Amino acid sequence: MDYRTRLYRSVLYMPASNERALEKARELPVDAVIFDFEDAVAPDVKPDARKTLKAALARGGYGPRMRIVRVNGLDTEWGRADAEAVRDMETDAILLPKVDSPEKIDELAAITGELPIWAMMETPRGMLNASAIAAHPKVAGLVMGTNDLTSEMNARFRPDRRPLRTALDLCLLAAKSEGRIIVDGVYNSYRDTDGLATECAQGRDMGFDGKTLIHPAQVEVANRIFAPSSGEIDLARRQIAAFEEAQKRGQGLAVVDGQIVENLHVATALKTLAKAAAIEARQAERTS
Ligand SMILES: CC(C)(COP(=O)(O)OP(=O)(O)OC[C@H]1O[C@@H](n2cnc3c(N)ncnc32)[C@H](O)[C@@H]1OP(=O)(O)O)[C@@H](O)C(=O)NCCC(=O)NCCSC(=O)C[C@H](O)C(=O)O
Ligand SMILES: [Mg+2]
């Protein structure tokens, strides 16, 4: 399946060393999983985590969930061994942390060959090189690393994320200009579903495809907010119908709810309906 047509509303991190979490991911209604060798795995457990994850992926059971493995940076003592191990795993993509230039992608691709690469965007230099990173032909998606970024910028966490907005916008523009997927950073207070919902809504408004998550309790909120609402689906249907009627009358635009509908609005409406259909199909798969 083309990675662009998949769903990315909820992208759940889990430590690759945590067998219970690897097991649980087979049942959770997430769109994608990031199996982590980096921050979530203690140094002395990293070699065993490679074996644990390889066995879990070989066993399968992750269904339509996108499988992404995050390795340690290639400038760490674990990075190369991680990448070599991932090359032989049943996975859809590999995620490289702290990508600050397209050369970092070349370095990883020299080890992993054709495996699609996702880039963690979490350093000030990475923000300034976002366009070149997103344009790299091996890159399929960008993942915001808002914890590292906040720390590297010596910024403060704020509910409105004002200190990060320029960086988020630069990465969004880079991803959109290259047709890449882009998912938002994590919300650390994993029991605070109201705060998560507010941040998801902000990310959705900005154009992110979904949100990275750290706990199963966050999945429902992200799935709901990154899905088209019933109002959006209804509007999309009415826009398409009105535009078709207008065309039959030889007109190039229609009016719905007092607002014009042109070709570009119809294109957006079709995308909304395609996403809604993909979500419905996913739900039907789960209940069958
Ligand atoms: C944060 C946690 C350590 C909390 O774990 P725990 O105390 O075990 O939570 P619960 O008891 O509430 O768990 C309930 C059940 O859910 C399972 N569980 C918990 N977390 C996950 C998960 N992430 N994936 C799958 N399953 C999960 C537990 O096993 C329990 O199951 P059950 O036995 O059936 O009851 C923990 O949630 C955790 O480790 N989260 C992931 C942390 C992580 O991956 N961090 C790294 C990524 S974030 C990052 O790096 C940011 C980025 O780079 C940046 O810079 O911003
Ligand atoms: Mg990080």
Side-chain angles (χ1 to χ4, degrees):
M1 186 193 282
D2 181 342
Y3 72 87
R4 287 186 187 84
T5 60
R6 297 179 81 142
L7 294 167
Y8 299 95
R9 296 164 300 164
S10 49
V11 180
L12 179 64
Y13 282 100
M14 63 196 57
S17 52
N18 183 337
E19 294 198 47
R20 177 67 197 132
L22 300 183
E23 180 65 40
K24 205 170 168 75
R26 295 186 173 94
E27 301 148 24
L28 293 170
V30 289
D31 290 336
V33 178
I34 297 177
F35 303 103
D36 193 21
F37 287 140
E38 200 211 18
D39 292 347
V41 179
D44 53 345
V45 186
K46 288 184 196 277
D48 277 349
R50 292 183 202 119
K51 293 182 203 141
T52 304
L53 181 60
K54 187 170 183 185
L57 290 172
R59 235 191 87 209
Y62 294 103
R65 298 167 191 82
M66 174 99 174
R67 299 155 304 174
I68 304 169
V69 184
R70 181 167 77 167
V71 293
N72 288 278
L74 293 178
D75 50 358
T76 69
E77 64 182 280
W78 312 284
R80 172 164 279 275
D82 287 349
E84 286 171 353
V86 174
R87 191 176 51 197
D88 299 328
M89 287 182 194
E90 297 284 319
T91 185
D92 299 301
I94 185 165
L95 173 62
L96 186 65
K98 303 182 181 65
V99 177
D100 56 13
S101 70
E103 287 74 27
K104 291 273 174 72
I105 304 290
D106 287 333
E107 223 182 310
L108 179 62
I111 304 171
T112 53
E114 291 311 306
L115 191 60
I117 296 175
W118 286 54
M120 292 276 336
M121 303 301 290
E122 49 186 352
T123 65
R125 193 178 301 280
M127 300 305 122
L128 297 177
N129 287 330
S131 172
I133 293 166
H136 193 292
K138 287 274 161 57
V139 168
L142 304 183
V143 179
M144 296 311 306
T146 42
N147 279 314
D148 271 304
L149 189 59
T150 302
S151 161
E152 291 225 7
M153 289 175 64
N154 193 26
R156 287 196 169 123
F157 288 100
R158 285 174 40 141
D160 65 0
R161 297 201 289 177
R162 180 69 195 86
L164 299 186
R165 285 301 291 265
T166 301
L168 297 173
D169 286 337
L170 280 171
C171 292
L172 278 158
L173 291 168
K176 303 295 172 179
S177 68
E178 298 296 335
R180 309 302 187 212
I181 301 300
I182 178 163
V183 288
D184 202 354
V186 297
Y187 186 74
N188 294 335
S189 305
Y190 60 89
R191 303 272 180 220
D192 173 11
T193 47
D194 290 344
L196 173 67
T198 302
E199 198 167 285
C200 284
Q202 183 196 42
R204 169 63 196 91
D205 287 350
M206 290 172 75
F208 283 104
D209 294 296
K211 184 111 179 126
T212 46
L213 309 173
I214 50 175
H215 191 277
Q218 298 182 307
V219 175
E220 186 278 325
V221 172
N223 279 350
R224 175 165 46 82
I225 291 178
F226 283 94
S229 66
S230 53
E232 285 171 322
I233 295 169
D234 174 60
L235 178 62
R237 287 192 182 123
R238 290 188 295 120
Q239 285 176 321
I240 293 165
F243 190 77
E244 282 171 359
E245 284 306 312
Q247 279 192 315
K248 282 184 202 156
R249 295 192 300 271
Q251 293 166 346
L253 70 80
V255 177
V256 172
D257 296 348
Q259 295 189 17
I260 58 162
V261 179
E262 296 174 338
N263 262 327
L264 72 144
H265 303 109
V266 172
T268 304
L270 287 169
K271 275 195 227 160
T272 299
L273 295 189
K275 191 165 187 182
I279 292 167
E280 207 176 306
R282 180 67 55 84
Q283 274 156 358
E285 234 173 277
R286 276 196 195 108
T287 49
S288 68

